[in-house]
Structure formats: structure tokens, C-alpha cells
Amino acid sequence: MLAASLAVVTVGSVACDRLPGKPPPNPAPVISVATTAGFEIMWAERCSGCHGADGQLGAGLPMRNAEYLNAVPDSDMFSMIRNGVPSSRMPGFGGDAIGGVSDEVIRDFIKGMQVTWAQGDASNDSLGLPWRAPDAPGDVSRGATVFAAKCAACHPAEQAAPTQRGSTPDQLIAGSVTDPFYLRLVSNQHLRSNIVFGRKDLGMPGAAGPFRGPDGGEVTGGLDAADVADLVAYLASKRNTWPSGPEVEDGEP
Ligand code: HEC
Ligand code: HEC
């Protein structure tokens, strides 16, 4: 009873003290996004829908991957989060974006992501290959050869319908990555990042392998820098193999 009347008195006096529009004297403490607690709030609001609630198992590349986070240069991470990835579904969260956050918050958010997910994982799926693609373009026909030898068994161009696959479908047989419509949705960097770092969350090996040969058997031996560049060049060469009209941006008639 006493507590209830005190509460009313307090609220009343605050209300009388303040001019309309004057900010409250003690704003609620804001948790910095440079800490795990603050980072998790912003991740849940802005990233989890596409990159997974837990930083993995989303449509976008998992960020809960220490090797990946340590390999992406800070300046690239900053510009992708601030400005998005052009011609892809990755939106920008800073700059002129509606509800955009300041550059300072983005920098803190990257720190928060690092303290939360970039520590203590000694895996070497990438064999130390850099995140960024080399300037020289890869060799398309060599890429086709590597793809047939190491990737096609898991990424067939066409798949039998589930009912024709028998009672124990192989969970690792993944979608086509040579389909032009898929390729138009993603950038070459997205292809490279998947090939170099893999997707542990979904069973996609990184550059270290192991891969799968045309007979379905395991193929050991990792990819080197030229293999990755050639694979990306080969996949990219498939992007425009299906004729279509000019691309139309969202909202255009
Ligand atoms: C053991 C099976 C396996 C092998 C071998 C494999 N992949 Fe994958 N790959 C997967 C799975 C599973 C996924 C994730 C599910 C999906 O995207 O369909 C994936 C995802 C990908 C993606 C990302 C697709 C997306 O989400 O945008 C690319 C690109 C890719 N693989 C390329 C390759 C290339 C190139 C090779 C050969 C160097 C390769 N994969 C070898 C199983 C495999
Ligand atoms: C609407 C879905 C969506 C949201 C929301 C989203 N992303 Fe993305 N993100 C994507 C897609 C799609 C890509 C792949 C773009 C491409 O093709 O390169 C991507 C790519 C990225 C990449 C580059 C991956 C690489 O190495 O190729 C990073 C880093 C990234 N996102 C971080 C974030 C962070 C951090 C947030 C939250 C602040 C976020 N994303 C929110 C969809 C999203």
C-alpha cells in the first residue's frame, strides 16, 4: 500500500516538473553494442532474420565463425554493414538508410561481433586463404574441371524429386550453384566466401575439404588460391546463360 502511493507521488511530481517535450532527467541506460549483451540485441533486430538467430543456419553466410570474422578486413566489414552489398539482398544499415545507425554504432557493433563470435576457434577450414578475391580473374575452363572433380556430386545441376531418391535421401546433396537464377541473386564475393570458409552449419566444406568426386567418394586435398579464383570465374560465367529482359528494380513498373 505504502509502495503504491509512493509510486503515484513520484510519477506525479515528474510529470509536473517537466515542460512538454523536455527529455526525461535520467534516460534509461543504453547497453553498448560493443559488448555481447548490446550486440545480441542489435543482431536480433537487424541481422538474425537473414543470418540466423544464433549467427548460423540462416539464408545468409553465418557470422558465428571465428575464422571468417578474423579474415574479413575491418574496413570491408564496415562498408558492407553500412552500405549493404550492391545488387544483392544485403541491405545497408547506416548512411542514409531509413532508421540507419551512425558510423560509430556500426564500429562498436563490429567490436561486439568480434568479442562474441571471433574468439577461441582454431579451425582451419579456409587454409588461410584471404577473404578478398585477387585482382586477376580466374580461368573459367579450369574452374569447370575443378567443379566436376570436387563439387558437382554435392551440387548436381538437376536433382531427382524426393520421391525418386529412395527412402534415405542424402542430406548433403545441396541445391544447384550453377543455376543462372540462383547466381543472379548473389555476388561473386558471396560465392568466394562460401567456397573459402564453407558452411559448417550446413555441411558445406571450406577450402580444406574434404570434397566429393563424381563417383560419390570422398576426395581429400584442399583448394589453393588459383582453384578458388577459377571456381568463382566458372560459376560467374554461368550467370547470364539464360536469356532474359533487362533487370527491373523493386518498385519499378
Ligand atoms: C559434401 C557436399 C558438398 C561439397 C563437396 C560441396 N558443397 Fe557446396 N554446399 C553444400 C551444402 C550442404 C551447402 C549449403 C546448402 C545449400 O546451399 O544448398 C553448400 C553451399 C554452397 C554454396 C552457397 C550456396 C548459397 O547459400 O548461396 C556455394 C557457392 C557452394 N556450396 C559451392 C561449392 C563449390 C564450388 C564446391 C566445390 C569446391 C562445393 N560447394 C562443394 C555441400 C557441398
Ligand atoms: C534481408 C536479409 C539480410 C539482412 C537483414 C542482413 N543481411 Fe547480411 N547478407 C544478406 C545476403 C543475401 C548477403 C549476400 C550478399 C551477396 O550476394 O554478396 C549478405 C552478406 C553479408 C556479409 C558478407 C558475407 C560475405 O563474406 O560474402 C556480411 C558480413 C553480412 N551480410 C553481415 C550482416 C550483418 C552484420 C547484418 C545485420 C546488421 C546483416 N548482414 C543483415 C542478407 C541480409
Side-chain angles (χ1 to χ4, degrees):
M1 187 61 209
L2 183 63
S5 50
L6 271 179
V8 170
V9 169
T10 321
V11 168
S13 71
V14 169
C16 294
D17 266 4
R18 270 205 282 149
L19 291 169
K22 188 171 176 245
N26 292 313
V30 176
I31 317 170
S32 164
V33 293
T35 66
T36 292
F39 162 75
E40 281 174 345
I41 294 170
M42 184 163 154
W43 176 270
E45 280 172 1
R46 309 234 177 191
C47 320
S48 62
C50 298
H51 291 277
D54 191 24
Q56 55 188 351
L57 296 171
L61 206 69
M63 295 291 122
R64 180 188 276 272
N65 178 340
E67 207 187 340
Y68 172 80
L69 289 181
N70 287 316
V72 183
D74 277 354
S75 57
D76 290 294
M77 184 59 88
F78 175 79
S79 82
M80 289 189 288
I81 296 175
R82 183 182 192 276
N83 307 321
V85 177
S87 311
S88 86
R89 293 294 168 206
M90 166 70 189
F93 293 90
D96 298 333
I98 294 169
V101 295
S102 68
D103 290 359
E104 194 192 346
V105 168
I106 295 174
R107 287 204 182 85
D108 281 351
F109 174 81
I110 294 170
K111 279 183 211 149
M113 187 149 71
Q114 280 161 347
V115 296
T116 309
W117 288 333
Q119 318 294 321
D121 174 356
S123 59
N124 189 24
D125 298 330
S126 69
L127 299 178
L129 292 174
W131 173 81
R132 198 198 294 262
D135 289 338
D139 177 333
V140 172
S141 68
R142 211 187 147 263
T145 308
V146 179
F147 190 85
K150 295 190 160 169
C151 320
C154 283
H155 292 287
E158 280 171 17
Q159 288 189 33
T163 47
Q164 295 167 349
R165 265 194 232 144
S167 53
T168 49
D170 183 342
Q171 297 296 334
L172 279 182
I173 299 288
S176 169
V177 289
T178 46
D179 179 306
F181 297 102
Y182 158 70
L183 289 163
R184 284 175 201 177
L185 294 174
V186 296
S187 70
N188 288 0
Q189 179 64 56
H190 173 83
L191 301 172
R192 179 180 173 87
S193 292
N194 275 277
I195 295 169
V196 171
F197 301 96
R199 284 206 59 166
K200 253 197 270 280
D201 55 344
L202 296 176
M204 160 74 185
F211 301 102
R212 246 191 226 194
D215 61 357
E218 189 174 289
V219 176
T220 51
L223 303 174
D224 64 20
D227 294 334
V228 175
D230 296 349
L231 282 165
V232 172
Y234 166 65
L235 295 178
S237 77
K238 295 271 182 186
R239 197 172 269 133
N240 293 314
T241 51
W242 188 276
S244 71
E247 296 275 327
V248 176
E249 288 291 324
D250 283 357
E252 275 182 38

